Amino acid sequence: MSYTANIDGYYGRFGGAYVPELLHHNVEELRLNYERIINSQTFQAEFRKLLQDYVGRPSPLYLAPRLSEHYACNLYLKREDLNHTGAHKINNTVGQILLAKSLGKKRIIAETGAGQHGVATATVCALMGLPCIVYMGAVDVSRQAPNVARMKFLGAEVRPVHSGSKTLKDATNEAIRDWINNPEDTFYIIGSVVGPHPYPDMVAYFQSVISEEMKTQLKEQTGSENPDAIIACVGGGSNAAGAFYHYLEKKEVKLIAVEAAGKGIDSGESAATSQLGTEGIIHGSRTLLMQDKYGQIIEPWSISAGLDYPGIGPLHAHLIDSGRAKAVSVTDQEALDAAALLARLEGIIPALETAHAFAALEKLSFGNKQHVVINLSGRGDKDLSTLIGKEHE
Ligand SMILES: *Cc1c(COP(=O)(O)O)cnc(C)c1O
């Protein structure tokens, strides 16, 4: 079985490019050019240089001694939290802005929910001197004020979206409308392994630097490129795709995708898409999504804004459906407890999204000789008030 996208962007029966006629030209332009550009020497040289000098790569692979002792196995943390802007998202926006430049685009648009992808996009637009417009649901604009301030300070224009539920899916619709109206000069930077082909394939490649580095680092530290397992949290699935990428075909490496159960799988306030979702089309690809019997999207819930997405990237739908990856779900409270444990045992405050990956350790068991990598997707500064508030309740 293959775990990479076929020529039409399918992973098994998931993926593809389901876009309205008016968008066909834009998506097709990208599809016909992305591999050639990404594989060119010029692109690779610029991408690698920025990852090193601007993002700060390679990110360390840290054997966490006290956490390892606590769980009686060898836990290695891939420190994406140490990247510029504090998470893995910058790997992808650096890649996409270089692609936009190669295509001669002069204007960048993006959508954002929690604001993390908006900040990563505003950052690379400032770096390249390109105008940046970020669509954001009006509800999210008021919930995520610090990130709105960051985007504006970086020179981006934040456009609040007042339609529908005024959240991420409405912001996405508005970004797509903008793209349709500006097909010639505009590039749409998508923030995860979602959207129509070639986005999932492209974003997975930009994030694959994570597992590329892991191979070398594990070889140095343990004598083998392969860990026994890799654990990553999944919103749309980009950090997990990056952490799994070079191990997809290595069956001996267990892949564990951790979803947000919110207040509990059966609570009606959850984001555990692989368990609650059914097949359908969202944001241009066939995948698993949370929908009602009329095909209307059910609003997801998670304490972590980066995981409360009603779908899951088509690669992950395929990995889970085929049994290659195991899905684990973690509640809000379990994630908060895991964040506190990591802070106290290792002096590292994780993002709430990332805390879900750590909480999965409570539900899995490994032998004391086993090597397990956890992708530490981002730092927790942005979540401190939630972390502290709950701890003192
Ligand atoms: C956005 C975000 C996520 C979720 O997005 P993926 O595409 O699933 O990786 C996870 N962790 C952090 C720190 C994030 O900012």
Side-chain angles (χ1 to χ4, degrees):
M1 188 172 304
S2 166
Y3 301 104
T4 39
N6 72 12
I7 182 106
D8 298 315
Y10 280 91
Y11 303 87
R13 60 182 193 280
F14 303 104
Y18 297 81
V19 296
E21 190 56 34
L22 289 167
L23 260 191
H24 182 76
H25 167 80
N26 306 33
V27 174
E28 195 60 6
E29 181 189 22
L30 202 53
R31 187 181 73 82
L32 292 172
N33 290 294
Y34 83 109
E35 288 179 307
R36 175 182 54 79
I37 295 174
I38 288 172
N39 292 325
S40 73
Q41 237 177 2
T42 332
F43 182 95
Q44 283 297 328
E46 259 193 291
F47 184 49
R48 300 289 157 174
K49 187 156 174 50
L50 284 173
L51 289 181
Q52 177 183 298
D53 299 341
Y54 188 71
V55 176
R57 305 203 70 93
S59 69
L61 183 73
Y62 167 66
L63 172 60
R66 302 223 305 141
L67 196 70
S68 294
E69 195 188 330
H70 183 85
Y71 286 110
C73 60
N74 301 293
L75 295 170
Y76 291 85
L77 315 186
K78 184 58 175 156
R79 299 292 308 275
E80 294 300 300
D81 60 320
L82 296 178
N83 293 340
H84 178 45
T85 70
H88 66 290
K89 287 199 170 72
I90 191 86
N91 303 327
N92 169 46
T93 56
V94 165
Q96 287 197 51
I97 198 107
L98 290 176
L99 191 56
K101 270 202 345 179
S102 299
L103 288 167
K105 304 296 178 183
K106 302 273 184 272
R107 178 177 176 269
I108 302 296
I109 58 171
E111 86 295 330
T112 196
Q116 295 300 107
H117 172 58
V119 169
T121 304
T123 300
V124 296
C125 286
L127 177 69
M128 295 296 169
L130 289 175
C132 177
I133 293 149
V134 180
Y135 290 93
M136 190 170 185
V139 167
D140 292 331
V141 170
S142 56
R143 278 198 294 213
Q144 310 289 341
N147 276 339
V148 174
R150 274 183 201 112
M151 285 183 266
K152 289 184 174 167
F153 196 68
L154 288 161
E157 181 193 336
V158 179
R159 292 196 184 158
V161 175
H162 295 278
S163 55
S165 54
K166 305 181 174 62
T167 57
L168 180 61
K169 72 174 164 51
D170 313 290
T172 304
N173 291 340
E174 214 50 51
I176 288 173
R177 208 161 291 153
D178 181 315
W179 204 22
I180 289 174
N181 291 329
N182 300 282
E184 295 305 324
D185 67 340
T186 297
F187 191 94
Y188 180 15
I189 297 190
I190 292 185
S192 189
V193 284
V194 300
H197 178 63
Y199 280 99
D201 187 40
M202 205 165 75
V203 177
Y205 171 75
F206 292 144
Q207 293 293 357
S208 72
V209 63
I210 299 173
S211 49
E212 189 181 309
E213 291 171 3
M214 269 163 49
K215 285 202 304 182
T216 319
Q217 292 167 324
L218 280 166
K219 178 88 184 157
E220 273 170 22
Q221 296 185 39
T222 72
S224 166
E225 275 183 6
N226 293 1
D228 293 290
I230 303 170
I231 306 177
C233 66
V234 173
S238 68
N239 85 86
F244 296 169
Y245 197 90
H246 290 284
Y247 294 100
L248 290 170
E249 313 290 340
K250 299 186 173 187
K251 293 286 164 54
E252 62 276 29
V253 179
K254 283 204 186 94
L255 305 177
I256 295 151
V258 187
E259 297 186 309
K263 294 179 182 165
I265 296 278
D266 302 320
S267 66
E269 290 176 278
S270 180
T273 311
S274 79
Q275 293 190 49
L276 298 171
T278 50
E279 277 183 57
I281 289 163
I282 182 171
H283 299 156
S285 75
R286 168 168 288 278
T287 189
L288 296 172
L289 66 139
M290 292 171 33
Q291 56 186 334
D292 65 18
K293 62 180 175 186
Y294 304 106
Q296 295 298 304
I297 287 168
I298 297 171
E299 282 287 322
W301 164 265
S302 165
I303 193 168
S304 103
L307 298 185
D308 98 16
Y309 179 69
I312 181 176
L315 164 63
H316 296 291
H318 179 53
L319 290 176
I320 293 167
D321 183 69
S322 66
R324 176 66 188 94
K326 175 185 165 75
V328 171
S329 67
V330 158
T331 65
D332 293 348
Q333 189 58 51
E334 290 165 338
L336 288 167
D337 295 344
L341 188 72
L342 183 65
R344 300 292 165 86
L345 289 182
E346 296 290 345
I348 297 171
I349 302 176
L352 273 172
E353 291 81 6
T354 315
H356 287 71
F358 283 86
L361 289 168
E362 297 283 336
K363 307 180 176 212
L364 301 162
S365 68
F366 298 105
N368 63 2
K369 296 264 182 339
Q370 291 198 299
H371 300 286
V372 178
V373 177
I374 303 178
N375 198 36
L376 214 174
S377 58
R379 60 176 173 242
D381 311 38
K382 67 184 178 62
D383 299 315
L384 207 59
S385 61
T386 312
L387 291 167
I388 293 168
K390 295 288 174 177
E391 251 203 306
H392 287 200
E393 257 175 24

